[in-house]
Amino acid sequence: INDYLRTDNRYELVDTEKALKSVPLESAKKELETAASMVQKGREAYDSLELDQAINYLNKAIKKYKRNAAYMESPRAISEAFIALGAAHILRGEERTGKSILTKAVLIDPMAKPDPRIFNPSMMEIFHDAQDEALNSPRGAVNVISTPSYAEIYMDGKFIGITPHSKGEIPGGLHFFRIQKIGHQRYGNTVKIPAHTEESISGNLKPLPGADRLDNLLNKCIKHVGDKSVHPSLRELSEFVKAEQLFVA
């Protein structure tokens, strides 16, 4: 239901971590803003043909994105950073390195497309080779568990299941994983999935301050789903997370 509501511009989802005043969430947001600024500086340096400086900025941005994998809702930003970095290496005459980086961009976001203002025809050819290599790479698998269990799992921004969960047929290479459960601090990591092998991921989700109250309210609300009248617990939950509407599924 979350994915559906995210695509409906009539709604803006309330982040329960924000409602519970999660310190890691606020810190990650600042880091991601800094990373986006570094990507922009990297692009500006690229446009000025200051390639060493561009590569430096982009590498720093990518490190910040990786460090905050738990809060990367979409793969688009990291994919675009990889594409810009790959272009800088190619323009510097390092085609093999550039192609390898472009492959990472496509693995994370198969819909990734290079900026035609940056990629000339020969660079586009390298990108298409990287795209074919990424999409046809040998497959691997992952087994994901968490404490507590029954947490949502996202791979490269897409929901793939509830812990504990195993998923196969994953293109081998670097992927972003996020594990989250209401009332808990998220877990995130970048994981290199080896070909023909199952990788294991274990996330420890620490309870956030106020999580017990949130759980109690949720349990009360579930008991009264279908009541003819609005139970007070629904109003209390709405006020607690500062939401105008509640969807129970």
Side-chain angles (χ1 to χ4, degrees):
I1 190 170
N2 282 353
D3 290 340
Y4 172 78
L5 291 175
R6 282 193 184 96
T7 62
D8 193 326
N9 57 19
R10 293 175 299 171
Y11 305 105
E12 180 182 351
L13 292 184
V14 171
D15 192 324
T16 53
E17 281 193 69
K18 185 175 181 180
L20 295 174
K21 296 181 173 59
S22 167
V23 174
L25 172 63
E26 296 305 317
S27 175
K29 283 185 175 180
K30 291 178 181 178
E31 281 263 279
L32 294 175
E33 287 173 1
T34 301
S37 176
M38 286 182 170
V39 171
Q40 181 58 35
K41 289 179 180 178
R43 286 174 174 159
E44 291 170 358
Y46 178 95
D47 291 339
S48 301
L49 297 180
E50 297 172 351
L51 300 180
D52 290 346
Q53 192 174 35
I55 289 170
N56 183 47
Y57 276 127
L58 292 166
N59 273 323
K60 286 182 177 179
I62 289 168
K63 284 181 181 179
K64 286 185 179 293
Y65 284 136
K66 288 181 177 180
R67 192 159 56 239
N68 293 281
Y71 298 93
M72 294 290 294
E73 299 285 347
S74 164
R76 185 59 50 84
I78 181 70
S79 176
E80 289 179 351
F82 273 131
I83 288 175
L85 181 60
H89 278 287
I90 293 170
L91 199 58
R92 202 166 68 171
E94 300 159 350
E95 291 189 8
R96 182 177 295 180
T97 300
K99 180 183 174 182
S100 174
I101 293 169
L102 293 177
T103 301
K104 292 180 181 178
V106 178
L107 280 173
I108 293 168
D109 182 9
M111 302 303 292
K113 293 182 180 179
D115 187 338
R117 296 172 297 178
I118 296 177
F119 277 64
N120 58 39
S122 62
M123 293 170 78
M124 283 299 298
E125 186 175 340
I126 295 172
F127 175 79
H128 289 311
D129 287 344
Q131 192 176 44
D132 289 340
E133 186 174 306
L135 298 179
N136 295 298
S137 63
R139 267 41 181 172
V142 66
N143 179 53
V144 187
I145 61 174
S146 70
T147 305
S149 299
Y150 310 115
E152 299 173 356
I153 312 165
Y154 294 84
M155 184 184 80
D156 301 329
K158 294 182 178 179
F159 175 76
I160 62 169
I162 300 292
T163 60
H165 181 72
S166 293
K167 179 176 174 58
E169 291 300 305
I170 300 174
L174 189 70
H175 295 275
F176 277 65
F177 285 86
R178 181 173 90 247
I179 307 173
Q180 64 185 55
K181 185 180 179 73
I182 289 178
H184 294 74
Q185 185 177 323
R186 300 182 190 187
Y187 170 87
N189 204 357
T190 53
V191 179
K192 188 174 183 179
I193 302 297
H196 313 301
T197 306
E198 183 178 79
E199 185 70 16
S200 296
I201 301 174
S202 177
N204 182 25
L205 312 181
K206 299 178 182 178
L208 292 167
D212 288 342
R213 184 185 174 197
L214 179 60
D215 283 341
N216 288 335
L217 287 172
L218 286 171
N219 289 330
K220 286 180 182 179
C221 290
I222 291 171
K223 290 178 182 178
H224 295 281
V225 171
D227 287 2
K228 292 182 179 180
S229 60
V230 177
H231 192 268
S233 60
L234 289 166
R235 292 195 179 94
E236 190 178 352
L237 176 60
S238 179
E239 291 173 0
F240 183 61
V241 298
K242 297 180 174 60
E244 294 178 1
Q245 297 185 53
L246 296 174
F247 293 85
V248 182

